[in-house]
Short mmCIF file of all heavy atoms in Angstrom, two decimals:
data_model
loop_
_atom_site.label_atom_id
_atom_site.label_comp_id
_atom_site.label_asym_id
_atom_site.label_seq_id
_atom_site.Cartn_x
_atom_site.Cartn_y
_atom_site.Cartn_z
N MET A 1 -25.23 -33.70 -37.83
CA MET A 1 -25.98 -34.09 -36.64
C MET A 1 -26.10 -32.86 -35.75
O MET A 1 -25.19 -31.98 -35.58
CB MET A 1 -25.09 -35.16 -35.86
CG MET A 1 -25.90 -35.79 -34.82
SD MET A 1 -25.08 -37.35 -34.21
CE MET A 1 -26.03 -37.51 -32.82
N ASN A 2 -27.31 -32.65 -35.17
CA ASN A 2 -27.58 -31.53 -34.39
C ASN A 2 -26.79 -31.65 -33.04
O ASN A 2 -26.61 -32.73 -32.50
CB ASN A 2 -29.04 -31.45 -33.93
CG ASN A 2 -29.97 -31.33 -35.11
OD1 ASN A 2 -29.78 -30.33 -35.84
ND2 ASN A 2 -30.90 -32.15 -35.31
N ILE A 3 -26.25 -30.49 -32.66
CA ILE A 3 -25.70 -30.46 -31.26
C ILE A 3 -26.82 -30.55 -30.31
O ILE A 3 -27.92 -30.00 -30.63
CB ILE A 3 -24.83 -29.13 -31.14
CG1 ILE A 3 -24.00 -29.28 -29.92
CG2 ILE A 3 -25.75 -27.98 -31.08
CD1 ILE A 3 -22.84 -28.27 -29.88
N SER A 4 -26.66 -30.97 -29.08
CA SER A 4 -27.76 -31.08 -28.15
C SER A 4 -28.25 -29.74 -27.74
O SER A 4 -27.36 -28.74 -27.62
CB SER A 4 -27.28 -32.00 -26.94
OG SER A 4 -26.34 -31.31 -26.25
N GLY A 5 -29.45 -29.63 -27.45
CA GLY A 5 -29.91 -28.33 -26.93
C GLY A 5 -31.27 -28.02 -27.43
O GLY A 5 -32.01 -28.93 -28.13
N ARG A 6 -31.79 -26.84 -27.37
CA ARG A 6 -33.10 -26.48 -27.65
C ARG A 6 -33.55 -26.63 -29.13
O ARG A 6 -34.52 -27.20 -29.55
CB ARG A 6 -33.51 -25.10 -27.16
CG ARG A 6 -33.47 -24.90 -25.61
CD ARG A 6 -33.61 -23.57 -25.18
NE ARG A 6 -32.47 -22.80 -25.65
CZ ARG A 6 -32.53 -21.51 -26.02
NH1 ARG A 6 -33.62 -20.84 -25.87
NH2 ARG A 6 -31.48 -20.95 -26.31
N TYR A 7 -32.70 -26.07 -30.02
CA TYR A 7 -33.13 -26.07 -31.45
C TYR A 7 -32.55 -27.23 -32.11
O TYR A 7 -31.40 -27.73 -31.77
CB TYR A 7 -32.52 -24.74 -32.06
CG TYR A 7 -33.20 -23.53 -31.65
CD1 TYR A 7 -32.68 -22.80 -30.62
CD2 TYR A 7 -34.21 -22.99 -32.37
CE1 TYR A 7 -33.37 -21.65 -30.14
CE2 TYR A 7 -34.92 -21.88 -32.03
CZ TYR A 7 -34.45 -21.24 -30.91
OH TYR A 7 -35.04 -20.04 -30.62
N TYR A 8 -33.30 -27.77 -33.02
CA TYR A 8 -32.83 -28.90 -33.76
C TYR A 8 -33.59 -28.97 -35.10
O TYR A 8 -34.46 -28.22 -35.34
CB TYR A 8 -33.21 -30.21 -33.04
CG TYR A 8 -34.72 -30.29 -32.67
CD1 TYR A 8 -35.52 -30.87 -33.58
CD2 TYR A 8 -35.21 -29.80 -31.52
CE1 TYR A 8 -36.91 -30.91 -33.21
CE2 TYR A 8 -36.45 -29.85 -31.20
CZ TYR A 8 -37.34 -30.42 -32.01
OH TYR A 8 -38.72 -30.42 -31.69
N VAL A 9 -32.84 -29.69 -36.04
CA VAL A 9 -33.53 -29.89 -37.48
C VAL A 9 -33.90 -31.31 -37.67
O VAL A 9 -33.17 -32.15 -37.21
CB VAL A 9 -32.46 -29.44 -38.53
CG1 VAL A 9 -33.04 -29.78 -39.98
CG2 VAL A 9 -32.07 -27.96 -38.40
N GLU A 10 -35.14 -31.46 -38.08
CA GLU A 10 -35.66 -32.79 -38.21
C GLU A 10 -35.47 -33.28 -39.62
O GLU A 10 -35.01 -32.58 -40.52
CB GLU A 10 -37.20 -32.77 -38.05
CG GLU A 10 -37.48 -32.29 -36.51
CD GLU A 10 -38.97 -32.30 -36.24
OE1 GLU A 10 -39.67 -31.41 -36.72
OE2 GLU A 10 -39.38 -33.28 -35.58
N LYS A 11 -35.77 -34.54 -39.90
CA LYS A 11 -35.35 -35.27 -41.16
C LYS A 11 -36.26 -34.62 -42.30
O LYS A 11 -35.97 -34.85 -43.47
CB LYS A 11 -35.74 -36.72 -40.98
CG LYS A 11 -34.88 -37.44 -40.14
CD LYS A 11 -35.10 -38.99 -40.33
CE LYS A 11 -34.21 -39.77 -39.31
NZ LYS A 11 -34.59 -39.65 -37.94
N ASP A 12 -37.23 -33.87 -42.04
CA ASP A 12 -38.06 -33.30 -43.07
C ASP A 12 -37.35 -32.24 -43.83
O ASP A 12 -37.85 -31.72 -44.84
CB ASP A 12 -39.32 -32.71 -42.47
CG ASP A 12 -40.15 -33.70 -41.71
OD1 ASP A 12 -40.13 -34.89 -42.12
OD2 ASP A 12 -40.89 -33.31 -40.74
N CYS A 13 -36.17 -31.77 -43.35
CA CYS A 13 -35.42 -30.67 -44.06
C CYS A 13 -35.18 -31.07 -45.48
O CYS A 13 -34.91 -32.30 -45.88
CB CYS A 13 -34.08 -30.55 -43.30
SG CYS A 13 -32.93 -29.57 -44.25
N ILE A 14 -35.42 -30.11 -46.29
CA ILE A 14 -35.25 -30.26 -47.73
C ILE A 14 -33.94 -29.59 -48.32
O ILE A 14 -33.73 -29.47 -49.48
CB ILE A 14 -36.55 -29.74 -48.61
CG1 ILE A 14 -36.69 -28.24 -48.26
CG2 ILE A 14 -37.63 -30.58 -48.26
CD1 ILE A 14 -37.81 -27.68 -49.14
N GLY A 15 -33.08 -29.06 -47.30
CA GLY A 15 -31.90 -28.57 -47.69
C GLY A 15 -31.91 -27.25 -48.49
O GLY A 15 -31.04 -26.98 -49.35
N CYS A 16 -32.89 -26.43 -48.23
CA CYS A 16 -33.07 -25.19 -49.01
C CYS A 16 -32.10 -24.09 -48.70
O CYS A 16 -32.00 -23.12 -49.36
CB CYS A 16 -34.50 -24.62 -48.82
SG CYS A 16 -34.75 -23.84 -47.21
N THR A 17 -31.37 -24.25 -47.58
CA THR A 17 -30.27 -23.32 -47.09
C THR A 17 -30.82 -22.17 -46.41
O THR A 17 -29.98 -21.28 -45.92
CB THR A 17 -29.26 -22.99 -48.14
OG1 THR A 17 -29.85 -22.01 -49.02
CG2 THR A 17 -28.66 -24.23 -48.87
N LEU A 18 -32.19 -21.88 -46.38
CA LEU A 18 -32.63 -20.66 -45.71
C LEU A 18 -32.12 -20.47 -44.32
O LEU A 18 -31.76 -19.37 -43.99
CB LEU A 18 -34.22 -20.68 -45.74
CG LEU A 18 -34.89 -19.46 -45.21
CD1 LEU A 18 -36.06 -19.19 -45.95
CD2 LEU A 18 -35.27 -19.62 -43.79
N CYS A 19 -32.21 -21.50 -43.57
CA CYS A 19 -31.75 -21.36 -42.28
C CYS A 19 -30.29 -20.99 -41.96
O CYS A 19 -29.84 -20.13 -41.17
CB CYS A 19 -32.03 -22.52 -41.23
SG CYS A 19 -31.41 -24.15 -41.93
N ALA A 20 -29.47 -21.58 -42.80
CA ALA A 20 -27.99 -21.30 -42.77
C ALA A 20 -27.74 -19.83 -43.23
O ALA A 20 -26.86 -19.20 -42.83
CB ALA A 20 -27.16 -22.28 -43.57
N GLU A 21 -28.66 -19.29 -44.06
CA GLU A 21 -28.43 -17.96 -44.53
C GLU A 21 -28.94 -17.01 -43.51
O GLU A 21 -28.42 -15.93 -43.42
CB GLU A 21 -29.25 -17.77 -45.92
CG GLU A 21 -28.53 -18.40 -47.14
CD GLU A 21 -29.50 -18.56 -48.30
OE1 GLU A 21 -30.37 -17.82 -48.37
OE2 GLU A 21 -29.17 -19.51 -49.11
N THR A 22 -30.02 -17.35 -42.89
CA THR A 22 -30.66 -16.54 -41.89
C THR A 22 -29.95 -16.48 -40.55
O THR A 22 -29.68 -15.38 -40.02
CB THR A 22 -32.08 -17.04 -41.55
OG1 THR A 22 -32.88 -17.07 -42.78
CG2 THR A 22 -32.84 -16.15 -40.62
N ALA A 23 -29.47 -17.75 -40.11
CA ALA A 23 -28.93 -17.78 -38.74
C ALA A 23 -27.58 -18.63 -38.95
O ALA A 23 -27.47 -19.71 -38.47
CB ALA A 23 -29.83 -18.43 -37.77
N GLY A 24 -26.64 -18.10 -39.75
CA GLY A 24 -25.45 -18.83 -40.07
C GLY A 24 -24.62 -19.08 -38.89
O GLY A 24 -23.63 -19.85 -39.08
N GLU A 25 -24.78 -18.40 -37.80
CA GLU A 25 -23.97 -18.70 -36.64
C GLU A 25 -24.43 -19.94 -35.86
O GLU A 25 -23.79 -20.46 -34.97
CB GLU A 25 -23.92 -17.59 -35.60
CG GLU A 25 -23.36 -16.36 -36.27
CD GLU A 25 -22.72 -15.40 -35.33
OE1 GLU A 25 -21.97 -15.70 -34.51
OE2 GLU A 25 -23.22 -14.18 -35.40
N ASN A 26 -25.58 -20.42 -36.28
CA ASN A 26 -26.11 -21.55 -35.57
C ASN A 26 -26.54 -22.88 -36.42
O ASN A 26 -26.61 -23.94 -36.00
CB ASN A 26 -27.36 -21.11 -34.80
CG ASN A 26 -27.10 -20.00 -33.90
OD1 ASN A 26 -27.38 -18.83 -34.29
ND2 ASN A 26 -26.42 -20.29 -32.82
N PHE A 27 -26.85 -22.52 -37.66
CA PHE A 27 -27.20 -23.66 -38.73
C PHE A 27 -26.08 -23.74 -39.74
O PHE A 27 -25.66 -22.74 -40.26
CB PHE A 27 -28.54 -23.31 -39.39
CG PHE A 27 -29.69 -23.34 -38.39
CD1 PHE A 27 -30.04 -22.18 -37.71
CD2 PHE A 27 -30.50 -24.52 -38.27
CE1 PHE A 27 -31.15 -22.28 -36.75
CE2 PHE A 27 -31.61 -24.55 -37.44
CZ PHE A 27 -31.94 -23.43 -36.67
N LYS A 28 -25.91 -24.99 -40.17
CA LYS A 28 -25.05 -25.32 -41.17
C LYS A 28 -25.64 -26.32 -42.11
O LYS A 28 -26.45 -27.11 -41.71
CB LYS A 28 -23.72 -25.93 -40.67
CG LYS A 28 -22.54 -25.05 -40.50
CD LYS A 28 -21.27 -25.91 -40.04
CE LYS A 28 -20.16 -24.85 -39.62
NZ LYS A 28 -19.17 -25.46 -38.93
N ILE A 29 -25.15 -26.30 -43.35
CA ILE A 29 -25.66 -27.37 -44.39
C ILE A 29 -24.58 -28.40 -44.29
O ILE A 29 -23.43 -28.28 -44.47
CB ILE A 29 -25.84 -26.77 -45.73
CG1 ILE A 29 -26.80 -25.53 -45.77
CG2 ILE A 29 -26.17 -27.80 -46.67
CD1 ILE A 29 -28.10 -25.92 -45.41
N ASN A 30 -25.15 -29.64 -44.11
CA ASN A 30 -24.28 -30.83 -44.16
C ASN A 30 -24.44 -31.63 -45.50
O ASN A 30 -25.54 -31.83 -45.87
CB ASN A 30 -24.83 -31.69 -43.07
CG ASN A 30 -24.15 -33.08 -42.91
OD1 ASN A 30 -23.06 -33.24 -43.58
ND2 ASN A 30 -24.57 -33.91 -42.00
N SER A 31 -23.37 -31.76 -46.06
CA SER A 31 -23.35 -32.58 -47.43
C SER A 31 -22.74 -33.93 -47.13
O SER A 31 -21.99 -34.36 -48.00
CB SER A 31 -22.82 -31.78 -48.57
OG SER A 31 -22.24 -30.56 -48.11
N ALA A 32 -22.90 -34.56 -46.10
CA ALA A 32 -22.37 -35.82 -45.71
C ALA A 32 -22.74 -36.83 -46.80
O ALA A 32 -23.81 -36.84 -47.23
CB ALA A 32 -22.84 -36.24 -44.38
N GLU A 33 -21.73 -37.72 -47.08
CA GLU A 33 -22.01 -38.64 -48.15
C GLU A 33 -23.17 -39.67 -47.89
O GLU A 33 -23.68 -40.11 -48.85
CB GLU A 33 -20.71 -39.51 -48.23
CG GLU A 33 -19.51 -38.71 -48.86
CD GLU A 33 -18.25 -39.46 -48.79
OE1 GLU A 33 -18.33 -40.68 -48.61
OE2 GLU A 33 -17.21 -39.00 -49.13
N GLU A 34 -23.44 -39.87 -46.64
CA GLU A 34 -24.59 -40.86 -46.46
C GLU A 34 -25.87 -40.21 -46.75
O GLU A 34 -26.91 -40.97 -46.72
CB GLU A 34 -24.51 -41.40 -45.10
CG GLU A 34 -24.78 -40.50 -43.94
CD GLU A 34 -23.52 -39.70 -43.39
OE1 GLU A 34 -22.59 -39.66 -44.07
OE2 GLU A 34 -23.71 -39.22 -42.25
N LEU A 35 -25.94 -39.01 -47.01
CA LEU A 35 -27.23 -38.37 -47.23
C LEU A 35 -27.45 -38.13 -48.80
O LEU A 35 -26.46 -37.92 -49.46
CB LEU A 35 -27.34 -37.00 -46.63
CG LEU A 35 -27.29 -37.00 -45.10
CD1 LEU A 35 -27.21 -35.57 -44.56
CD2 LEU A 35 -28.51 -37.72 -44.48
N PHE A 36 -28.65 -38.31 -49.21
CA PHE A 36 -28.93 -38.20 -50.71
C PHE A 36 -29.03 -36.80 -51.05
O PHE A 36 -29.03 -36.47 -52.24
CB PHE A 36 -30.21 -38.99 -50.97
CG PHE A 36 -30.06 -40.43 -50.79
CD1 PHE A 36 -30.79 -41.02 -49.84
CD2 PHE A 36 -29.24 -41.14 -51.61
CE1 PHE A 36 -30.68 -42.40 -49.57
CE2 PHE A 36 -29.07 -42.53 -51.46
CZ PHE A 36 -29.81 -43.10 -50.50
N PHE A 37 -29.30 -35.90 -50.11
CA PHE A 37 -29.28 -34.47 -50.48
C PHE A 37 -28.85 -33.62 -49.34
O PHE A 37 -28.63 -34.30 -48.15
CB PHE A 37 -30.78 -34.24 -50.76
CG PHE A 37 -31.82 -34.46 -49.77
CD1 PHE A 37 -31.90 -33.59 -48.78
CD2 PHE A 37 -32.48 -35.68 -49.81
CE1 PHE A 37 -32.88 -34.03 -47.73
CE2 PHE A 37 -33.37 -36.02 -48.79
CZ PHE A 37 -33.54 -35.17 -47.67
N GLU A 38 -28.53 -32.42 -49.49
CA GLU A 38 -28.11 -31.55 -48.42
C GLU A 38 -29.13 -31.44 -47.34
O GLU A 38 -30.40 -31.41 -47.60
CB GLU A 38 -27.62 -30.29 -48.97
CG GLU A 38 -26.39 -30.40 -49.91
CD GLU A 38 -25.89 -29.16 -50.37
OE1 GLU A 38 -26.59 -28.15 -50.46
OE2 GLU A 38 -24.64 -29.07 -50.64
N HIS A 39 -28.68 -31.34 -46.20
CA HIS A 39 -29.52 -31.19 -45.07
C HIS A 39 -28.94 -30.38 -44.04
O HIS A 39 -27.65 -30.29 -43.86
CB HIS A 39 -29.56 -32.66 -44.49
CG HIS A 39 -30.63 -32.94 -43.42
ND1 HIS A 39 -30.61 -32.33 -42.17
CD2 HIS A 39 -31.73 -33.72 -43.43
CE1 HIS A 39 -31.55 -32.74 -41.45
NE2 HIS A 39 -32.32 -33.58 -42.29
N SER A 40 -29.67 -29.50 -43.39
CA SER A 40 -29.03 -28.58 -42.41
C SER A 40 -29.15 -29.23 -40.97
O SER A 40 -29.88 -30.16 -40.76
CB SER A 40 -29.68 -27.30 -42.35
OG SER A 40 -30.81 -27.35 -41.63
N TYR A 41 -28.21 -28.61 -40.24
CA TYR A 41 -28.27 -29.18 -38.80
C TYR A 41 -27.80 -27.86 -37.93
O TYR A 41 -27.22 -26.97 -38.38
CB TYR A 41 -27.31 -30.39 -38.53
CG TYR A 41 -25.85 -30.04 -38.72
CD1 TYR A 41 -24.93 -29.83 -37.73
CD2 TYR A 41 -25.37 -29.88 -40.16
CE1 TYR A 41 -23.59 -29.62 -38.00
CE2 TYR A 41 -24.04 -29.65 -40.30
CZ TYR A 41 -23.21 -29.52 -39.35
OH TYR A 41 -21.84 -29.21 -39.56
N VAL A 42 -28.02 -28.08 -36.61
CA VAL A 42 -27.70 -26.97 -35.70
C VAL A 42 -26.39 -27.36 -35.22
O VAL A 42 -26.16 -28.46 -34.58
CB VAL A 42 -28.69 -26.94 -34.47
CG1 VAL A 42 -28.23 -25.93 -33.48
CG2 VAL A 42 -30.17 -26.59 -35.01
N PHE A 43 -25.38 -26.50 -35.32
CA PHE A 43 -23.97 -26.88 -34.91
C PHE A 43 -23.70 -26.09 -33.71
O PHE A 43 -22.67 -26.35 -32.94
CB PHE A 43 -23.00 -26.56 -36.01
CG PHE A 43 -22.72 -25.13 -36.34
CD1 PHE A 43 -21.53 -24.53 -35.79
CD2 PHE A 43 -23.48 -24.46 -37.15
CE1 PHE A 43 -21.23 -23.16 -35.99
CE2 PHE A 43 -23.28 -23.04 -37.39
CZ PHE A 43 -22.09 -22.57 -36.86
N LYS A 44 -24.56 -25.01 -33.37
CA LYS A 44 -24.28 -24.28 -32.09
C LYS A 44 -25.59 -23.73 -31.66
O LYS A 44 -26.34 -23.09 -32.55
CB LYS A 44 -23.30 -23.16 -32.42
CG LYS A 44 -22.92 -22.28 -31.31
CD LYS A 44 -21.83 -21.32 -31.72
CE LYS A 44 -21.85 -19.98 -31.07
NZ LYS A 44 -23.13 -19.35 -30.90
N GLN A 45 -25.91 -23.83 -30.42
CA GLN A 45 -27.18 -23.30 -29.96
C GLN A 45 -26.89 -21.83 -29.83
O GLN A 45 -25.82 -21.41 -29.49
CB GLN A 45 -27.47 -23.89 -28.61
CG GLN A 45 -27.82 -25.40 -28.67
CD GLN A 45 -29.09 -25.64 -29.41
OE1 GLN A 45 -30.07 -24.93 -29.49
NE2 GLN A 45 -29.19 -26.94 -30.00
N PRO A 46 -27.98 -20.99 -30.00
CA PRO A 46 -27.88 -19.55 -29.87
C PRO A 46 -27.47 -19.12 -28.49
O PRO A 46 -27.98 -19.64 -27.46
CB PRO A 46 -29.18 -19.00 -30.22
CG PRO A 46 -30.13 -20.06 -30.02
CD PRO A 46 -29.35 -21.45 -30.31
N ASP A 47 -26.56 -18.15 -28.33
CA ASP A 47 -26.12 -17.78 -26.97
C ASP A 47 -26.37 -16.21 -26.79
O ASP A 47 -25.88 -15.65 -25.77
CB ASP A 47 -24.83 -18.21 -26.55
CG ASP A 47 -23.69 -17.88 -27.54
OD1 ASP A 47 -23.91 -17.04 -28.39
OD2 ASP A 47 -22.64 -18.41 -27.41
N THR A 48 -26.93 -15.61 -27.81
CA THR A 48 -27.41 -14.22 -27.57
C THR A 48 -28.77 -13.92 -28.06
O THR A 48 -29.30 -14.84 -28.82
CB THR A 48 -26.36 -13.34 -28.49
OG1 THR A 48 -26.70 -13.56 -29.86
CG2 THR A 48 -24.95 -13.59 -28.24
N GLU A 49 -29.32 -12.89 -27.68
CA GLU A 49 -30.73 -12.58 -28.04
C GLU A 49 -30.82 -12.47 -29.55
O GLU A 49 -31.82 -12.84 -30.11
CB GLU A 49 -31.20 -11.33 -27.33
CG GLU A 49 -31.58 -11.52 -25.94
CD GLU A 49 -32.09 -10.38 -25.25
OE1 GLU A 49 -32.61 -9.51 -25.97
OE2 GLU A 49 -32.12 -10.24 -23.95
N GLU A 50 -29.72 -11.87 -30.08
CA GLU A 50 -29.71 -11.76 -31.63
C GLU A 50 -29.87 -12.98 -32.28
O GLU A 50 -30.52 -13.27 -33.24
CB GLU A 50 -28.57 -10.84 -32.04
CG GLU A 50 -28.68 -10.46 -33.44
CD GLU A 50 -27.36 -9.74 -33.91
OE1 GLU A 50 -26.45 -9.46 -33.06
OE2 GLU A 50 -27.18 -9.47 -35.03
N GLN A 51 -28.90 -13.95 -31.89
CA GLN A 51 -28.91 -15.26 -32.47
C GLN A 51 -30.17 -16.03 -32.26
O GLN A 51 -30.71 -16.69 -33.18
CB GLN A 51 -27.70 -16.10 -31.90
CG GLN A 51 -26.40 -15.63 -32.44
CD GLN A 51 -25.24 -16.44 -31.76
OE1 GLN A 51 -25.48 -17.45 -31.11
NE2 GLN A 51 -24.00 -15.98 -31.93
N GLU A 52 -30.72 -15.76 -31.04
CA GLU A 52 -32.05 -16.37 -30.72
C GLU A 52 -33.09 -16.03 -31.74
O GLU A 52 -33.89 -16.70 -32.24
CB GLU A 52 -32.40 -16.21 -29.30
CG GLU A 52 -33.68 -16.75 -28.84
CD GLU A 52 -33.57 -17.89 -27.96
OE1 GLU A 52 -32.53 -18.08 -27.23
OE2 GLU A 52 -34.48 -18.82 -28.09
N ALA A 53 -33.15 -14.63 -31.91
CA ALA A 53 -34.13 -14.07 -32.76
C ALA A 53 -33.96 -14.60 -34.21
O ALA A 53 -34.93 -14.89 -34.90
CB ALA A 53 -34.05 -12.58 -32.86
N LEU A 54 -32.76 -14.67 -34.68
CA LEU A 54 -32.51 -15.27 -36.04
C LEU A 54 -32.92 -16.76 -36.16
O LEU A 54 -33.41 -17.10 -37.15
CB LEU A 54 -31.06 -15.00 -36.42
CG LEU A 54 -30.67 -13.58 -36.65
CD1 LEU A 54 -29.16 -13.34 -36.82
CD2 LEU A 54 -31.44 -12.99 -37.83
N CYS A 55 -32.67 -17.43 -35.08
CA CYS A 55 -33.07 -18.92 -35.04
C CYS A 55 -34.58 -19.00 -35.12
O CYS A 55 -35.08 -19.81 -35.84
CB CYS A 55 -32.56 -19.52 -33.78
SG CYS A 55 -30.74 -19.90 -33.95
N ASN A 56 -35.19 -18.22 -34.39
CA ASN A 56 -36.70 -18.16 -34.50
C ASN A 56 -37.18 -17.73 -35.81
O ASN A 56 -38.24 -18.24 -36.29
CB ASN A 56 -37.24 -17.19 -33.38
CG ASN A 56 -37.31 -17.84 -31.99
OD1 ASN A 56 -37.40 -19.00 -31.91
ND2 ASN A 56 -37.00 -17.10 -31.01
N GLU A 57 -36.53 -16.80 -36.42
CA GLU A 57 -36.92 -16.39 -37.72
C GLU A 57 -36.82 -17.49 -38.73
O GLU A 57 -37.63 -17.72 -39.59
CB GLU A 57 -36.04 -15.22 -38.21
CG GLU A 57 -36.47 -14.51 -39.47
CD GLU A 57 -35.47 -13.46 -39.86
OE1 GLU A 57 -35.07 -12.66 -39.09
OE2 GLU A 57 -35.34 -13.21 -41.08
N ALA A 58 -35.65 -18.25 -38.67
CA ALA A 58 -35.35 -19.38 -39.46
C ALA A 58 -36.46 -20.40 -39.37
O ALA A 58 -36.97 -21.07 -40.19
CB ALA A 58 -34.01 -19.94 -39.23
N MET A 59 -36.83 -20.66 -38.02
CA MET A 59 -37.79 -21.65 -37.74
C MET A 59 -39.17 -21.24 -38.20
O MET A 59 -39.87 -22.14 -38.75
CB MET A 59 -37.92 -21.81 -36.13
CG MET A 59 -38.89 -22.89 -35.67
SD MET A 59 -38.66 -23.23 -33.92
CE MET A 59 -39.19 -21.72 -33.17
N GLU A 60 -39.56 -20.07 -38.12
CA GLU A 60 -40.81 -19.62 -38.75
C GLU A 60 -40.88 -19.72 -40.23
O GLU A 60 -41.96 -19.95 -40.82
CB GLU A 60 -41.13 -18.15 -38.20
CG GLU A 60 -41.56 -18.11 -36.84
CD GLU A 60 -41.51 -16.75 -36.24
OE1 GLU A 60 -41.39 -15.69 -37.00
OE2 GLU A 60 -41.54 -16.60 -34.98
N ASN A 61 -39.74 -19.40 -40.90
CA ASN A 61 -39.72 -19.39 -42.34
C ASN A 61 -39.29 -20.65 -43.02
O ASN A 61 -39.32 -20.74 -44.21
CB ASN A 61 -38.73 -18.23 -42.80
CG ASN A 61 -39.30 -16.90 -42.31
OD1 ASN A 61 -40.50 -16.70 -42.29
ND2 ASN A 61 -38.42 -16.01 -41.95
N CYS A 62 -38.92 -21.67 -42.27
CA CYS A 62 -38.54 -22.88 -42.85
C CYS A 62 -39.68 -23.54 -43.64
O CYS A 62 -40.76 -23.71 -43.13
CB CYS A 62 -38.03 -23.90 -41.79
SG CYS A 62 -37.83 -25.58 -42.48
N PRO A 63 -39.46 -23.72 -45.06
CA PRO A 63 -40.58 -24.18 -45.78
C PRO A 63 -40.97 -25.69 -45.59
O PRO A 63 -42.08 -26.04 -45.94
CB PRO A 63 -40.04 -24.12 -47.25
CG PRO A 63 -38.52 -24.15 -47.14
CD PRO A 63 -38.23 -23.54 -45.86
N ALA A 64 -40.25 -26.34 -44.78
CA ALA A 64 -40.50 -27.71 -44.60
C ALA A 64 -40.94 -27.87 -43.02
O ALA A 64 -41.23 -29.11 -42.62
CB ALA A 64 -39.36 -28.70 -44.78
N SER A 65 -41.09 -26.86 -42.36
CA SER A 65 -41.34 -26.86 -40.98
C SER A 65 -40.47 -27.86 -40.18
O SER A 65 -40.86 -28.65 -39.36
CB SER A 65 -42.84 -27.12 -40.67
OG SER A 65 -43.57 -26.23 -41.33
N ALA A 66 -39.23 -27.89 -40.67
CA ALA A 66 -38.29 -28.91 -40.18
C ALA A 66 -37.42 -28.55 -38.88
O ALA A 66 -36.62 -29.28 -38.28
CB ALA A 66 -37.32 -29.37 -41.21
N ILE A 67 -37.62 -27.24 -38.44
CA ILE A 67 -36.86 -26.73 -37.33
C ILE A 67 -37.73 -26.77 -36.14
O ILE A 67 -38.86 -26.26 -36.16
CB ILE A 67 -36.28 -25.30 -37.63
CG1 ILE A 67 -35.45 -25.19 -38.85
CG2 ILE A 67 -35.55 -24.75 -36.33
CD1 ILE A 67 -34.98 -23.89 -39.35
N GLY A 68 -37.16 -27.33 -35.10
CA GLY A 68 -37.93 -27.32 -33.80
C GLY A 68 -37.16 -26.73 -32.67
O GLY A 68 -36.01 -26.43 -32.71
N ASN A 69 -37.90 -26.32 -31.64
CA ASN A 69 -37.33 -25.81 -30.42
C ASN A 69 -38.10 -26.26 -29.23
O ASN A 69 -39.34 -26.01 -29.11
CB ASN A 69 -37.48 -24.19 -30.53
CG ASN A 69 -37.04 -23.55 -29.19
OD1 ASN A 69 -36.66 -24.23 -28.38
ND2 ASN A 69 -37.16 -22.23 -29.24
N ASP A 70 -37.40 -27.19 -28.48
CA ASP A 70 -38.31 -27.73 -27.39
C ASP A 70 -38.22 -26.91 -26.17
O ASP A 70 -38.89 -27.20 -25.26
CB ASP A 70 -37.86 -29.23 -27.09
CG ASP A 70 -36.40 -29.43 -26.73
OD1 ASP A 70 -35.84 -28.31 -26.25
OD2 ASP A 70 -35.82 -30.44 -26.79
N GLY A 71 -37.52 -25.85 -26.15
CA GLY A 71 -37.66 -24.86 -25.18
C GLY A 71 -37.16 -25.13 -23.79
O GLY A 71 -36.90 -24.19 -23.11
N ASP A 72 -37.16 -26.35 -23.43
CA ASP A 72 -36.91 -26.59 -21.87
C ASP A 72 -35.62 -27.32 -21.59
O ASP A 72 -35.41 -27.69 -20.44
CB ASP A 72 -38.14 -27.27 -21.33
CG ASP A 72 -38.54 -28.46 -22.03
OD1 ASP A 72 -37.70 -28.93 -22.85
OD2 ASP A 72 -39.57 -29.02 -21.63
N SER A 73 -34.80 -27.61 -22.63
CA SER A 73 -33.53 -28.29 -22.27
C SER A 73 -32.42 -27.43 -22.72
O SER A 73 -32.39 -26.88 -23.81
CB SER A 73 -33.53 -29.71 -22.84
OG SER A 73 -33.43 -29.49 -24.32
N GLU A 74 -31.50 -27.25 -21.97
CA GLU A 74 -30.28 -26.36 -22.33
C GLU A 74 -29.19 -26.79 -21.49
O GLU A 74 -29.41 -26.85 -20.28
CB GLU A 74 -30.57 -24.87 -22.19
CG GLU A 74 -29.46 -24.03 -22.29
CD GLU A 74 -29.10 -23.77 -23.79
OE1 GLU A 74 -30.09 -23.71 -24.59
OE2 GLU A 74 -27.95 -23.41 -24.14
S1 LIG B 101 -34.81 -23.78 -43.68
FE1 LIG B 101 -35.70 -25.79 -43.17
S2 LIG B 101 -35.74 -26.93 -45.05
FE2 LIG B 101 -34.46 -25.20 -45.38
S3 LIG B 101 -32.37 -25.97 -44.96
FE3 LIG B 101 -33.17 -25.07 -43.02
S4 LIG B 101 -34.10 -26.83 -41.95
FE4 LIG B 101 -33.78 -27.38 -44.02
#
C-alpha cells in the first residue's frame, strides 16, 4: 500500500520492478498474498532532490504508466 503523499503507484502496475531498481529508496515490490502478481508501491516519499529525480525517472520509464505524482499534497 502506498504511503500517503505525492507519488503513488496505481493498480495498472505490472510488477516489472523497474521503479524499485531505479528509485529503491522510495519504491518497493510487494508480494502480498492477496495479489496475484507482484506489485510495487511507494513506501517512502522522496525527501532529497536526488530521490525526487529518481522517482521522476521511474515515473517516466514505467511501462504501464502506473506511477503518478499529484504534486500538491505533502
Ligand atoms: S515501473 Fe511501473 S509497472 Fe514496473 S513495477 Fe514500477 S509501477 Fe509497476
